[in-house]
Amino acid sequence: MEPTMMIQQRSASAHIAECSNASCGDEGVAVVVVKTFELQSKSKGDLTKQLEELKTELLNLRVQKVAGGSSSKILRINSLRKDIARVLTVMNQKQRANLREFYKGKKYIPLDLRAKKTRAIRRKLNQHERTRITERQHKREVHFANRKFVLKA
């Protein structure tokens, strides 16, 4: 590799590091990091719109990569993929929270919303089931209770 190529590559990575949050005028590359706490305040429509924008940007960068675009744009692909994952994660969290709210207090809850725990704990009897007795046992306790005797010392 020629020394001039190495200098260009190093300057491209330094360029991306310098403009991590702000948009850079050089080559029209805008590096905007998607923050999760900002995404959580957005509505579902806004999230879908942002997801579509990120996906189209990723598609354009992949085309430029094949066409031999600048290295700074190619390095943006990885961060774009992570941004898309963040948006999808927030969308999924919101959907599950809404479902949990919908099924709150109902008798049956979908399996994926139930508490995982362990198989043994899930099958363990609850307090009410543990204290129940049969009708026959109840009659025995009522009619033949333990008798207490006083012993003379």
Side-chain angles (χ1 to χ4, degrees), residues 5-58:
M5 291 279 283
M6 288 172 43
I7 292 169
Q8 287 175 348
Q9 284 180 346
R10 189 175 57 219
S11 65
S13 61
H15 175 72
I16 289 178
E18 288 171 6
C19 48
S20 59
N21 283 350
S23 67
C24 299
D26 190 31
E27 301 172 354
V29 178
V31 180
V32 180
V33 178
V34 177
K35 303 280 186 188
T36 310
F37 71 91
E38 293 170 357
L39 291 175
Q40 288 168 344
S41 61
K42 291 187 176 183
S43 67
K44 185 180 177 184
D46 292 340
L47 287 173
T48 346
K49 184 180 172 188
Q50 185 168 6
L51 182 65
E52 289 302 316
E53 290 172 1
L54 289 171
K55 283 186 174 182
T56 53
E57 189 179 347
L58 181 63

Side-chain angles (χ1 to χ4, degrees), residues 138-151:
H138 178 68
K139 285 181 181 177
R140 272 191 186 167
E141 289 175 1
V142 169
H143 297 296
F144 304 104
N146 283 343
R147 291 183 168 80
K148 295 177 184 174
F149 299 97
V150 178
L151 297 177

